[in-house]
Amino acid sequence: MFQGYTQETVDFMWGIRFNNERGWFLEHKQQYQTQLLEPTRALGEQVYEGVQAMLPREPLMLKTSRIYRDARRLFGRGPYKDHLWFCVRTGDKDWTGRPTFYFEIAPEYYSYGMGFWQAPAELMEAFRRDLQAHPAKFEKLVRGFEKQNIFTLNGDSYARSRGEISDRLRPWFQKKSITLSHELPLDEKIFHPELAEEILENFRMLVPFYKYFAGLCASVTHGHQREEI
C-alpha cells in the first residue's frame, strides 16, 4: 500500500535535475529506488486495483516509466528524467490513441487525469463525426464535466474550424488530442497515504469519458462507425 512520498523524494528529483549525470545518479541510486520508484510503484498498484474495480471488464495493465532517457532521443539533455509517471490502460506496447489514466510527479508539481493522446487522424475524425451525428450523449458528459472543478480540458487545438458544432462541444471538437488533467504544485498531500484514495475518487468522474473513448476506439478498430456511442 502507498504510504506517501517523503522530503527525500523531492530532494532527489531536484538533485537529478541539476546534477543530471551518471556519477551523481549512482551515488544517489538507493535514494531513487526507495524514495521515488518504490512509492510510485505502490501508488500505481493501488490506483490500478481501484480503476480495475471501476472497469472490471477492461483488460487493464499498469505501466511505470523508467528514469533513464532513450539514448537515441537525448537532444542535449542529461541521461535521466527528473520526473516519474505511471499509467493504467489497455493495450501492449502502443499506448497512443487509447484512453489512459495517469499520474506524474516532478520536482515542482504532480499531475493526474486521463489522456487520449496522439490518436490517429482517422480516430479523431471518427470522434468529430460522432459528435455531429449524435451530440446529445457527449453533451451530457460535458455538462457534468462543467460542474466539477478538479479537471481541466487540455490538448492542442486546430486553429481553423473543423466543421459545424454547438458552442458547448466546440472546445472538444477542435482538439487534436485530449487530456483531462489536474495539476498542482507539490503539497502536503503527497506525503500521506490518503493521496491514493483521493486520486481514485476523482478518477471516478472520468470513467464515463474513458468508456466513451474506449467505445470509439473499438468502433474504428472493427471498421465501422457506431450508430450511437
Side-chain angles (χ1 to χ4, degrees), residues 123-173:
L123 194 52
M124 294 307 291
E125 283 301 321
F127 170 58
R128 283 185 278 275
R129 287 197 304 270
D130 194 73
L131 291 193
Q132 289 177 315
H134 309 287
K137 180 76 177 285
F138 202 77
E139 282 186 350
K140 182 178 180 180
L141 296 183
V142 173
R143 285 195 296 271
F145 187 79
E146 291 171 346
K147 293 177 182 178
Q148 56 83 44
N149 60 1
I150 304 295
F151 297 102
T152 57
L153 171 64
N154 295 290
D156 293 337
S157 300
Y158 290 102
R160 296 183 178 181
S161 175
R162 306 299 291 180
E164 294 299 319
I165 199 72
S166 70
D167 290 342
R168 171 166 273 130
L169 294 184
R170 181 159 298 282
W172 304 76
F173 188 79

Side-chain angles (χ1 to χ4, degrees), residues 190-220:
I190 70 166
F191 303 126
H192 300 288
E194 291 78 14
L195 176 64
E197 289 303 321
E198 180 171 312
I199 291 171
L200 283 169
E201 186 61 29
N202 289 334
F203 274 177
R204 195 174 299 277
M205 291 187 284
L206 302 182
V207 167
F209 287 97
Y210 178 93
K211 291 180 177 179
Y212 176 91
F213 287 113
L216 182 72
C217 292
S219 74
V220 173

Side-chain angles (χ1 to χ4, degrees), residues 23-24 38 66 97 106 108 110 113 132 145 183 200:
W24 191 93
E38 289 180 9
R66 301 171 72 248
E108 68 273 59
Y110 65 105
Q132 289 177 315
F145 187 79
E183 182 173 317
L200 283 169

